[in-house]
Amino acid sequence: MENEIPTGLIKFTDAAARKVMELIMEEHNPELKLRVYISGGGCSGFQYGFTFDETVGEGDEQVVTEGVTLLIDRMRVQYLMGAEVDYWEGLQGAQFVIRKPN
């Protein structure tokens, strides 16, 4: 796959991929991919968010797990190196999360 991030640099967990696949099936749109976006910086640090996208842009890098694609803008990949994108469910709800070792 073109522009695919080498295995291990950013981990897209099986749990996250399964949840994305579940949402894709609910939407009846196999073209959907999960996109990570990053905003902010400075004193408050970076804010990470998720959205669905049908299009792989020219500047997008990809991580594929269980046939599901995670998209990250090439200019933002450096801020996610070593991170894990996961799906978490707990007493306070459920959400996609990013865990960074540093």
Side-chain angles (χ1 to χ4, degrees):
M1 180 176 291
E2 206 171 297
N3 296 331
E4 189 168 338
I5 295 172
T7 303
L9 293 182
I10 298 173
K11 182 174 174 139
F12 182 34
T13 68
D14 292 345
R18 283 191 299 271
K19 184 60 179 180
V20 172
M21 181 58 75
E22 179 184 315
L23 295 169
I24 287 170
M25 291 173 63
E26 285 177 14
E27 292 296 319
H28 305 288
N29 185 350
E31 300 302 313
L32 289 175
K33 296 146 185 65
L34 184 66
R35 178 177 295 280
V36 176
Y37 62 88
I38 302 170
S39 60
C43 295
S44 63
F46 292 108
Q47 300 297 313
Y48 303 96
F50 300 92
T51 189
F52 282 99
D53 200 336
E54 294 179 343
T55 307
V56 178
E58 191 174 305
D60 287 335
E61 299 288 342
Q62 304 172 55
V63 180
V64 179
T65 300
E66 294 191 16
V68 177
T69 302
L70 175 72
L71 299 174
I72 307 163
D73 178 273
R74 185 175 297 143
M75 299 300 289
R76 308 291 188 273
V77 167
Q78 64 184 330
Y79 302 113
L80 291 169
M81 289 301 187
E84 176 181 82
V85 177
D86 196 12
Y87 182 74
W88 177 85
E89 292 183 18
L91 294 175
Q92 297 175 324
Q95 63 186 343
F96 290 100
V97 295
I98 293 179
R99 293 188 190 96
K100 291 186 70 172
N102 299 331

